[in-house]
Amino acid sequence: MTTMTTTCADTFDFFRAWLRAPLRVASIVPSGQALAELITSELTAETGPVLELGPGSGVFTRAIINRGVRESDLVLVESGAEFATKLAFRFPAAHLLQMDAAALRSVEIPQGWPVGAVVSGLPLLSIPVKKVMAILEGAFAQMGADGAFYQFTYGPRCPVPRPILDRLGLKATLVGQTFANLPPARVYRIRRRPARLAPAW
């Protein structure tokens, strides 16, 4: 199957998935290459295991691998059966978990890895606040102390509201934006805030 045929098939699958569950899929087309390169721009072979949430057709997955992360060091969390089947075929060495990302805290990551980074393709703006909190809590529970959560958005600001960041002790920083994606998108890096040292008396 040619790249163009694959792209057309993925676009059609996204459209069908969006028709069935617009809040879960949120976009009628897969993310573009420019966004994939931006959201993975800080990943390297030294990042370690990567947890990808909502990989869909695998656009970000392929970009993560191109950054030097081994396919066997990938854990793909996908709730949609229509996408999970394709991911299993395209990335057979990756660890595929067909589940809701909100249940991450209760899942044992393969081989007991501390995850170095999380790349999220989830439409956080269309997800209820309590579920967003569960996703973030679960993701950071699986990550090492220096791990980073990368999230894209089509909106003008971070899709995780400041009160949630404050409550979870997190800080969001804009990595960059791309107008080459349809629609234009921004990528944020979310990390734990440094622990404050108690004053010496």
Side-chain angles (χ1 to χ4, degrees):
M1 184 178 290
T2 65
T3 301
M4 183 174 292
T5 302
T6 301
T7 302
C8 290
D10 287 345
T11 300
F12 182 64
D13 286 346
F14 254 83
F15 182 65
R16 286 194 307 177
W18 177 81
L19 287 176
R20 287 194 295 267
L23 293 181
R24 174 172 66 84
V25 180
S27 175
I28 62 173
V29 295
S31 298
Q33 190 59 39
L35 176 54
E37 291 178 2
L38 177 60
I39 201 168
T40 62
S41 61
E42 297 185 347
L43 303 183
T44 69
E46 284 70 47
T47 300
V50 173
L51 181 63
E52 186 181 0
L53 310 182
S57 60
V59 176
F60 291 171
T61 315
R62 180 60 60 194
I64 293 169
I65 294 170
N66 289 342
R67 295 292 181 186
V69 178
R70 295 184 303 177
E71 185 176 320
S72 59
D73 278 348
L74 277 172
V75 179
L76 310 178
V77 177
E78 175 58 60
S79 64
E82 67 275 33
F83 295 127
T85 300
K86 280 191 173 184
L87 292 166
F89 176 76
R90 292 177 179 175
F91 308 100
H95 302 269
L96 177 62
L97 302 176
Q98 189 177 340
M99 57 172 283
D100 190 330
L104 272 174
R105 180 179 280 277
S106 62
V107 171
E108 185 175 339
I109 292 296
Q111 301 179 23
W113 292 333
V115 173
V118 173
V119 174
S120 171
L122 298 175
L124 294 189
L125 289 176
S126 62
I127 296 176
V129 170
K130 287 186 178 179
K131 191 168 182 178
V132 170
M133 289 185 64
I135 291 169
L136 288 169
E137 287 176 328
F140 277 93
Q142 302 288 359
M143 268 194 286
D146 296 327
F149 185 108
Y150 295 93
Q151 176 69 49
F152 83 91
T153 181
Y154 298 131
R157 58 183 62 87
C158 180
V160 182
R162 181 62 183 269
I164 293 181
L165 293 172
D166 290 343
R167 182 169 178 176
L168 299 179
L170 303 174
K171 178 181 179 180
T173 304
L174 178 66
V175 173
Q177 58 186 336
T178 174
F179 294 99
N181 193 71
L182 182 64
R186 294 184 173 203
V187 170
Y188 287 85
R189 179 200 320 109
I190 302 174
R191 276 202 164 114
R192 296 180 178 91
R193 293 178 184 172
R196 292 184 179 179
L197 297 176
W201 299 102

